[in-house]
Amino acid sequence: MEEKERKENFLTDSNIEIKRVYPKQDVKDEQPGEFPFTRGVQPTMYRSKFWTMRQYAGFSTAEESNKRYHYLLNNGTTGLSVAFDLPTQIGYDSSHDFADGEVGKAGVAIDSLRDIEILFEGIKLENITTSMTINSTASILLSMYIALAKKQGADLKKISGTIQNDILKEYAARGTYIYPPKPSMRIITDIFEYCSKEVPKWNTISISGYHIREAGSTAVQELAFTLANGKAYLKAAIDKGLDINVFAKRLSFFFNAHNNLFEEVAKFRAARRMWAQITKELGATDPRAQMLRFHTQTGGSTLTAQQPQNNIIRVTTQALSAVLGGTQSLHTNGFDEAIALPTEEAARIALRTQQVIAYESGAADTVDPLAGSYFVEALTNEVEAAAWEYIRKIDAMGGSVSAIEQGYMQNEIAASSYKYQKDIQTGEKVIVGVNKFTVEETPLKDIFTVDDSIRQLQIDKINKVKAERDNEKVKKILASLDANARADVNLMPSILEAAESYATLGEIADTMRNVFGEYTG
């Protein structure tokens, strides 16, 4: 007699039905490194070189973050990812009234080039790749980074890294925007144009599904909305007269890795195939301009304050999905991040998780390890089909900007988030240690906290910078930036000049605020 199954229906987090077994089916004989890149963007993938093992870190002052960077580099990190505090993300100096209570909390406080100099003290920018999670002020932070590289005597043609620079997902899911969509898109395409000539190895945008997923979307929505936003950036750059075969090579993506291992692998595989088609349809003929390269971070919203050690297992499963799905770089969260900033021990365990997968699991020994799995191949097709359906709806609305202005993406994400939370509350979805297998717990003893007094330290640094710089020169440069913002010229040279003169982040952002205004949603 056949046993009764645990559920009437088995579904992925995107509500795709999972069959009991998957029969043999035709599997396309696609090769990794060849269009449409379903199996990976490189022919050898990790058999040649592991993914970049990044650790996302930034807190308190530049001095404190610099210590953590040296700690991570000494423990085997191969790329840095910088987290910035909220005032930095929305263009306010630490001295601004709006910054009170937030300085150094969600990331490191950066007020001027002086902070960037301290942040990377003892680190040669030519020898490391740096990813900066920054959007509305990406042009300013990148300019400060370039200014430091020049001071170090670095060859700008050799420095490499990524700025997130994805403003559309801020409007849709996250909220750290400053300017309205039109001038924001102008600044982004100015960065594309400038970097293609001056900093050619720099990835000028990391189109982010991560925050869309963190806001509550499904895997399919994350994929669809991210690629739709990517399509909007492609069109904006093409409309500016840029060559897709040049600028598209420096576009990268940033995805979330959630708990449903097989759906996440299918999402990553489908993403490459879909982006190859999108770029080809928009005129890309160079295979490198058709490749979807992506960074992955394990799901912050999946971490639980209850039984936090369980997060080590969650992060391991999520990291494995990213590796099996062919990521180019990976950040693994600390097990204590649902409670506070990660301690050094938690950061080390997170890094060791990647190293164990790389060196011990065998997952990196063959390209696309799950290729040919009837389940994974079918699921890749189903995830792709569902994502295309969303993209067709967005295209019919006039593209991502229009869909965001109409509230479409926001409403879809909110509905999915509501259903997910409802399923947890009813027990339909089990979260181990939260709504099942609970125990009486004692709080973690070692919690990393940021002291509110650091705001005054930052204010003191700002005052010192202003006292030592040539203020008349700064005034003239900011006036020139204002004039250029009102004209049809690339803003990056002016922003770089302002950064090199030690104009503060807030001064530069406010100059553009005065021209472009602020977006109120």
Side-chain angles (χ1 to χ4, degrees), residues 272 335 353:
R272 281 191 293 271
F335 71 86
T353 300

Side-chain angles (χ1 to χ4, degrees), residues 95-133:
S95 54
H96 197 286
D97 289 346
F98 289 173
D100 191 15
E102 292 294 342
V103 177
K105 294 293 179 68
V108 63
I110 299 295
D111 291 305
S112 74
L113 175 57
R114 184 65 46 79
D115 285 318
I116 290 290
E117 291 168 350
I118 296 167
L119 186 66
F120 292 101
E121 188 174 353
I123 300 171
K124 287 288 186 184
L125 301 190
E126 269 193 31
N127 299 336
I128 194 76
T129 67
T130 303
S131 175
M132 297 191 282
T133 304

Side-chain angles (χ1 to χ4, degrees), residues 469-482:
R469 73 190 186 183
D470 184 338
N471 284 295
E472 279 303 310
K473 180 181 178 183
V474 171
K475 188 176 179 180
K476 289 178 183 177
I477 291 170
L478 291 177
S480 177
L481 173 60
D482 180 285

Side-chain angles (χ1 to χ4, degrees), residues 304-311 314 432-433 436-439 441:
T304 65
Q306 301 93 326
Q307 300 180 34
Q309 289 82 1
N310 293 347
N311 294 327
R314 291 188 180 99
V432 174
K436 199 167 186 177
F437 312 114
T438 58
V439 296
E441 298 183 64

Side-chain angles (χ1 to χ4, degrees), residues 94-95 454-464:
S94 298
S95 54
I454 68 142
R455 183 179 184 229
Q456 189 57 52
L457 295 176
Q458 287 299 115
I459 292 172
D460 292 343
K461 277 198 281 185
I462 292 171
N463 292 336
K464 190 171 187 292

Side-chain angles (χ1 to χ4, degrees), residues 145-339:
Y145 192 88
I146 293 171
L148 175 59
K150 289 172 71 175
K151 289 191 74 172
Q152 288 186 354
D155 181 349
L156 297 187
K157 299 288 193 282
K158 292 180 180 178
I159 68 164
S160 62
T162 304
I163 43 171
Q164 193 164 102
N165 200 26
D166 175 7
I167 204 64
L168 292 179
K169 67 94 177 45
E170 296 296 328
Y171 300 127
R174 191 163 175 265
T176 63
Y177 44 74
I178 302 175
Y179 319 111
K182 190 173 180 180
S184 292
M185 293 293 276
R186 171 195 169 179
I187 294 169
I188 288 168
T189 54
D190 281 355
I191 294 170
F192 290 175
E193 183 179 46
Y194 176 84
C195 289
S196 67
K197 298 171 185 174
E198 304 297 331
V199 200
K201 289 185 72 176
W202 196 269
N203 296 321
T204 50
I205 193 168
S206 176
I207 305 159
S208 176
Y210 183 85
H211 302 98
I212 291 171
R213 192 65 175 279
E214 290 292 283
S217 80
T218 65
V220 165
Q221 289 169 340
E222 177 194 357
L223 175 58
F225 297 164
T226 305
L227 295 190
N229 288 347
K231 194 173 179 181
Y233 293 125
L234 289 176
K235 288 184 173 181
I238 291 167
D239 290 345
K240 193 180 178 73
L242 302 183
D243 183 352
I244 191 171
N245 282 313
V246 176
F247 74 82
K249 293 176 185 176
R250 304 320 310 173
L251 271 58
S252 65
F253 287 80
F254 175 24
F255 287 115
N256 202 308
H258 250 240
N259 288 331
N260 192 315
L261 187 145
F262 294 106
E263 183 174 45
E264 295 302 292
V265 172
K267 177 187 75 181
F268 298 136
R269 298 174 88 246
R272 281 191 293 271
R273 196 156 71 197
M274 294 174 72
W275 187 245
Q277 184 173 329
I278 288 168
T279 52
K280 186 177 182 180
E281 288 175 354
L282 289 175
T285 54
D286 188 325
R288 288 175 58 210
Q290 299 168 338
M291 290 179 183
L292 182 144
R293 296 164 297 113
F294 68 100
H295 169 70
T296 310
Q297 181 174 338
T298 56
S301 63
T302 69
L303 303 177
T304 65
Q306 301 93 326
Q307 300 180 34
Q309 289 82 1
N310 293 347
N311 294 327
I312 297 173
I313 297 100
R314 291 188 180 99
V315 168
T316 302
T317 303
Q318 294 163 6
L320 183 60
S321 77
V323 172
L324 294 174
T327 193
Q328 274 61 68
S329 74
L330 177 61
H331 164 79
T332 32
N333 291 329
F335 71 86
D336 54 1
E337 287 190 55
I339 302 164

